[in-house]
Amino acid sequence: MYSEKVMDHFTHPRNVGEIENPDGVGEVGNTVCGDVMKIFLRIKDDRIEDIKFKTFGCGAAIATSSMVTELVIGKTLQEAKEISNKTVAEALGGLPCQKMHCSNLAADALHAAIDDYHKKQKVSG
Amino acid sequence: MRRVYLDHAATTAVHPEVLQTMLPYLQDQFGNPSSIYSWGREAKAAIENARAQVAVLINADPSEIIFTGSGTEADNFALSGVTDALDQRGAHIITSKIEHHAILHTAEALERKGYKVTYLPVNTEGLVNPETLKEAFTEGTVLVSIMFANNEIGTIEPIAELAQITKEHGALFHTDAVQAVGNLPIDVKQLDIDLLSLSGHKIYGPKGVGALYVRRGTRIKPLLHGGAQERKLRAGTENVPGIVGLGKAAELARLELAERQTHLTELREYLIDGVLSSIDHVRLNGHRSLRLPGNTNFSFEYIEGESLLLSLDLAGIAASSGSACTSGSLEPSHVLMAIGLPHEVAHGSLRLTIGRENTKEDIDYLLSVLPNIVKRLRSMSPLAPKGGLSHVQ
Ligand SMILES: Cc1ncc(COP(=O)(O)O)c(C=O)c1O
């Protein structure tokens, strides 16, 4: 049902955890549908210096979270904004179609974290 | 890698003796039971033998057993066939919220045709309250269908009482006993049941064969139209090897019932104790004692069922879950919702169902991997309390 890449990210997720005093946090999903993804960012000079995630959800939800962190770590915020849920699914070698909607939200969580960062910048700057 | 199958409520392995009984009917004895020559007569005799074997298991008369193509078909046949036959008398049926989809979706199809359906609620343990059944009857109630035991949480319903109440209100009583047959003693006469569904592949028989018990004198119309098989109630050339296999499986279930019950209940209690004592923030779904001998169903807080299943599969263990991701819809299982679980707890459900070939070593193996799987998934979960959970271990 899942590609080898998905299983690899599920069994060896990259960048799991939280960042203390993060520069941005994004959370998407809800417990009703069974997927909650939370992304933590450390930003330096408009670049994602560090990224961590925590996810409640199925195999696809965990794998997409892990994949998105791998795709954007070290990237500029501009580059990160261009990553879509579709990019993430493709990087994983595809997802079963019933998973494309409910569990493929990792890029949304990333964008929410970037928005949070911008908001905090405005307040402090 | 060690492989442990703990999903016997989904399906079971064909018993070796069942297989041996079936083989001739896939080979030399391939005749059509409707034919008059020796091949046909032998096949016919084999079907009648199987009918008697199924009948004794539930204390029915052989003439009251109609073979079907599955448990699902038996359920469809019961609901559609009875309502069709009694449509002059009324257009209301009563069932429960925790039925298998074979019942629920048939009931919904009847609603689209204009029937009224009452879906009785269950309590937090999954029990239908006989008092709520009493209140649900209307003038036109023709049929009540309540499952003998639930396939997800294993709860055994008060069938004798529900059937009695139904009789007092002049309606027919059907029970989906697909999970109960072979696991619990069932006597349709003593319980006063009018119709009962069963299925081959849940009792170490083959897939794609089932039966509906229809009490003599009960009016029912066929689902399938065609030849005169099964007293014109189920057309289509009979699945002879399947029916022979179901018959043998029923015979073995009867002979081994007490032994199986003891074995399964022992392992079940061992599994439940093991899980509850080694993992925190877990609840046992269903009823503590009114429970199928081989059924366990847990909810692990803060984690989701499919990722649990994947992790168990990587360790060679087969299980199932009521999470949305495994139900094929966006909603978690209707059964877990009906017993009042919050969504996130329902998503974290795990059903482990034990079968005759499981051993204590199988359960020990499960107990040796499950706590770490739960711990790993919780360490990734944004819902788990900060600082982690204390594990009893
Ligand atoms: C309670 C219940 N009813 C009906 C069925 C359907 O039986 P079958 O798989 O033979 O169609 C099942 C099996 O999944 C079941 O557990």
Side-chain angles (χ1 to χ4, degrees):
Chain A
M1 166 171 122
Y2 285 133
S3 70
E4 247 173 70
K5 262 251 172 74
V6 172
M7 287 310 292
D8 176 43
H9 277 266
F10 174 72
T11 45
H12 307 286
R14 326 318 189 230
N15 307 306
V16 184
E18 300 189 14
I19 293 174
E20 291 270 323
N21 306 314
D23 297 318
V25 185
E27 183 172 321
V28 296
N30 58 63
T31 53
V32 173
C33 69
D35 287 304
V36 180
M37 300 180 187
K38 202 165 175 183
I39 295 248
F40 304 82
L41 294 174
R42 167 83 62 236
I43 310 288
K44 200 169 176 197
D45 303 331
D46 266 357
R47 251 179 216 285
I48 297 178
E49 193 185 57
D50 197 9
I51 178 167
K52 294 258 190 272
F53 83 87
K54 280 214 160 171
T55 290
F56 164 83
C58 64
I62 289 171
T64 52
S65 310
S66 164
M67 181 49 103
V68 87
T69 65
E70 200 174 65
L71 286 173
V72 301
I73 195 161
K75 294 272 161 64
T76 65
L77 290 177
Q78 198 47 46
E79 288 167 322
K81 280 180 196 164
E82 280 158 26
I83 302 269
S84 69
N85 289 332
K86 192 157 163 263
T87 328
V88 177
E90 278 165 10
L92 284 167
L95 288 175
C97 62
Q98 79 271 20
K99 299 284 181 189
M100 288 302 281
H101 301 294
C102 58
S103 312
N104 190 18
L105 301 169
D108 295 349
L110 168 70
H111 299 155
I114 294 174
D115 288 348
D116 181 54
Y117 165 71
H118 286 313
K119 235 182 269 161
K120 282 183 181 153
Q121 288 296 99
K122 269 198 202 122
V123 174
S124 63
Chain B
M1 183 179 58
R2 189 177 176 123
R3 295 214 312 161
V4 175
Y5 186 80
L6 287 170
D7 201 15
H8 290 83
T11 195
T12 59
V14 170
H15 193 296
E17 283 183 52
V18 169
L19 177 66
Q20 286 313 312
T21 316
M22 290 172 68
L23 283 177
Y25 298 93
L26 289 156
Q27 297 172 315
D28 306 332
Q29 287 172 275
F30 60 86
N32 186 324
S34 300
S35 305
I36 60 160
Y37 42 72
S38 62
W39 282 265
R41 294 197 305 273
E42 283 161 14
K44 179 85 185 155
I47 289 181
E48 295 317 314
N49 183 50
R51 200 184 307 283
Q53 287 169 318
V54 172
V56 244
L57 178 62
I58 58 171
N59 193 28
D61 188 83
S63 66
E64 297 173 315
I65 302 296
I66 297 158
F67 290 114
T68 63
S70 61
T72 299
E73 188 192 320
D75 283 345
N76 275 257
F77 183 20
L79 265 54
S80 300
V82 166
T83 50
D84 196 7
L86 300 181
D87 66 345
Q88 297 303 315
R89 199 186 299 167
H92 176 232
I93 69 172
I94 301 170
T95 183
S96 84
K97 288 191 173 160
I98 61 163
E99 299 296 312
H100 190 271
H101 285 133
I103 292 291
L104 288 180
H105 289 167
T106 306
E108 286 163 19
L110 287 171
E111 282 189 274
R112 289 192 290 276
K113 285 198 198 164
Y115 284 87
K116 285 262 175 300
V117 182
T118 303
Y119 300 91
L120 298 179
V122 293
N123 72 4
T124 53
E125 294 169 316
L127 287 170
V128 170
N129 180 348
E131 293 305 315
T132 65
L133 172 61
K134 280 183 193 161
E135 289 156 18
F137 285 95
T138 63
E139 275 284 285
T141 308
V142 289
L143 180 68
V144 175
S145 177
I146 306 289
M147 68 201 318
F148 209 108
N150 183 265
N151 46 304
E152 289 187 42
I153 55 175
T155 302
I156 301 168
E157 300 297 339
I159 292 301
E161 205 179 337
L162 298 172
Q164 180 59 37
I165 292 167
T166 302
K167 191 172 193 181
E168 285 161 13
H169 287 81
L172 293 174
F173 188 81
H174 167 255
T175 185
D176 173 345
V178 166
Q179 294 287 341
V181 166
N183 283 314
L184 302 171
I186 297 178
D187 181 329
V188 290
K189 292 211 172 74
Q190 193 198 330
L191 293 167
D192 223 338
I193 293 170
D194 299 300
L195 304 111
L196 175 148
S197 304
L198 59 95
S199 174
H201 71 109
K202 312 284 188 185
I203 59 167
Y204 312 99
K207 296 173 180 56
V209 63
L212 184 67
Y213 151 79
V214 183
R215 189 212 294 257
R216 193 176 302 142
T218 304
R219 287 172 58 200
I220 188 162
K221 285 199 180 163
L223 271 189
L224 300 185
H225 305 279
Q229 294 89 356
E230 299 297 290
R231 300 193 347 265
K232 295 197 184 148
L233 284 171
R234 205 284 183 176
T237 301
E238 299 88 336
N239 170 8
V240 182
I243 289 172
V244 165
L246 171 57
K248 186 68 187 178
E251 181 184 82
L252 292 169
R254 181 171 57 84
L255 297 175
E256 295 175 7
L257 184 64
E259 193 187 319
R260 283 186 198 173
Q261 272 189 297
T262 312
H263 174 66
L264 297 185
T265 307
E266 247 173 55
L267 292 185
R268 176 190 77 192
E269 293 306 302
Y270 185 61
L271 197 166
I272 292 174
D273 289 346
V275 167
L276 297 184
S277 64
S278 64
I279 302 174
D280 265 357
H281 295 266
V282 54
R283 55 165 284 167
L284 178 71
N285 298 316
H287 194 282
R288 192 62 191 84
S289 57
L290 294 172
R291 184 175 205 107
L292 285 171
N295 174 284
T296 70
N297 188 310
F298 302 96
S299 278
F300 298 93
E301 283 183 60
Y302 317 120
I303 57 181
E304 190 277 336
E306 192 214 59
S307 45
L308 255 177
L309 295 191
L310 284 176
S311 308
L312 285 168
D313 181 40
L314 289 165
I317 297 170
S320 81
S321 167
S323 83
C325 283
T326 53
S327 71
S329 72
L330 293 179
E331 275 288 303
S333 129
H334 63 283
V335 177
L336 301 179
M337 291 285 97
I339 60 171
L341 294 192
H343 277 86
E344 67 271 25
V345 180
H347 283 300
S349 81
L350 177 71
R351 180 185 74 178
L352 298 158
T353 44
I354 303 158
R356 57 180 278 277
E357 71 280 355
N358 284 130
T359 60
K360 187 162 171 289
E361 286 69 41
D362 290 341
I363 310 302
D364 283 330
Y365 177 62
L366 170 84
L367 294 173
S368 75
V369 301
L370 186 59
N372 287 328
I373 288 173
V374 170
K375 201 168 172 181
R376 182 184 100 92
L377 292 172
R378 280 179 177 167
S379 75
M380 285 195 246
S381 171
L383 307 182
K386 261 221 160 95
L389 297 158
S390 59
H391 281 255
V392 178
Q393 247 184 346

